[in-house]
């Protein structure tokens, strides 16, 4: 597997991957994170691509099998400025992974994408819905620490906030 920036030519394929991810989440007890709003919206994905913040994971046959948003910098995620029921463990610049999804064709796509993002900066913050046990288990397996709760503007569901930093390892 390898990671590359998403192009507009990849757009139809990533829309297929997000549709599959919504169905997978609903089947695994998490129908509310992306399902009711058909998240993520097309406009946001086009914006991510145009800003070079969208990435795809491709297999050895160069087929797109996963996608995610990644950025890095100081205090880059506004919804992470307020955390309740805990605190962040590292105040240094961090990377953010959002909208991660795979087509399920190969084992380890999510792990590969998150590890790639971590290798870019050594400090990642990520959040997930309380019902997304698949992602929570993956993050814990990868050494992320649950730090508290954050709130997003898209809906009223709180999100579990996780962090991994080489400074604290």
């Amino acid at each position: 597997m390898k990671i590359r920036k998403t192009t507009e030519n990849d757009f139809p394929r990533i829309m297929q991957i997000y549709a599959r991810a919504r169905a997978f989440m609903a089947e695994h007890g998490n129908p509310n994170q992306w399902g009711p709003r058909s998240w993520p919206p097309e406009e946001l994905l086009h914006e991510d691509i145009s800003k070079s913040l969208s990435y795809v994971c491709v297999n050895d046959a160069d087929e797109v099998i996963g996608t995610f948003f990644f950025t890095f910098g100081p205090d880059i995620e506004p919804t992470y400025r307020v955390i309740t029921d805990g605190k962040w463990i590292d105040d240094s610049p961090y990377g953010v992974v959002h909208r991660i999804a795979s087509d399920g064709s190969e084992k380890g796509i999510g792990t590969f994408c998150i590890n790639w993002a971590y290798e870019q900066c050594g400090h990642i913050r990520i959040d997930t819905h309380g019902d997304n046990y698949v992602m929570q288990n993956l993050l814990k397996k990868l050494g992320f620490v649950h730090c508290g709760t954050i709130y997003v503007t898209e809906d009223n569901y709180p999100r579990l906030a996780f962090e991994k930093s080489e400074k604290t390892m």
Side-chain angles (χ1 to χ4, degrees):
M1 286 185 266
K2 68 179 180 180
I3 303 295
R4 67 168 171 78
K5 297 230 183 223
T6 307
T7 69
E8 279 295 335
N9 291 338
D10 298 317
F11 188 78
R13 178 66 180 137
I14 66 172
M15 290 306 292
Q16 291 173 342
I17 291 171
Y18 282 122
R20 186 212 169 267
R22 284 190 293 274
F24 177 87
M25 286 194 282
E27 291 165 8
H28 290 83
N30 182 21
N32 295 313
Q33 185 171 352
W34 287 357
R37 300 171 289 128
S38 291
W39 190 261
E42 290 186 17
E43 309 78 46
L44 181 59
L45 297 173
H46 285 298
E47 182 180 325
D48 291 348
I49 294 168
S50 72
K51 291 181 176 179
S52 295
L53 299 175
S54 178
Y55 295 82
V56 291
C57 179
V58 297
N59 63 13
D60 293 339
D62 211 34
E63 300 165 323
V64 174
I65 58 174
T67 185
F68 62 99
F69 167 98
F70 172 74
T71 191
F72 173 80
D75 198 26
I76 54 173
E77 176 53 62
T79 60
Y80 289 176
R81 291 182 186 140
V82 176
I83 185 168
T84 62
D85 303 321
K87 65 179 185 170
W88 296 113
I89 55 177
D90 180 355
D91 290 332
S92 69
Y94 57 89
V96 174
V97 174
H98 287 314
R99 301 184 277 290
I100 186 167
S102 82
D103 70 359
S105 64
E106 296 185 29
K107 247 183 115 72
I109 298 170
T111 296
F112 187 82
C113 294
I114 292 170
N115 283 340
W116 177 90
Y118 183 75
E119 289 167 9
Q120 306 311 300
C121 59
H123 183 196
I124 297 286
R125 290 180 181 175
I126 190 169
D127 65 89
T128 192
H129 196 282
D131 291 336
N132 195 339
Y133 298 111
V134 172
M135 181 58 75
Q136 292 172 47
N137 289 334
L138 175 60
L139 294 172
K140 289 173 186 170
K141 180 183 95 170
L142 295 177
F144 282 77
V145 175
H146 176 239
C147 293
T149 304
I150 61 104
Y151 297 87
V152 297
T153 57
E154 293 83 18
D155 61 44
N156 293 323
Y157 293 101
R159 299 295 197 274
L160 302 176
F162 290 85
E163 185 172 27
K164 181 177 178 180
S165 172
E166 61 189 17
K167 286 185 176 182
T168 60
M169 311 251 346

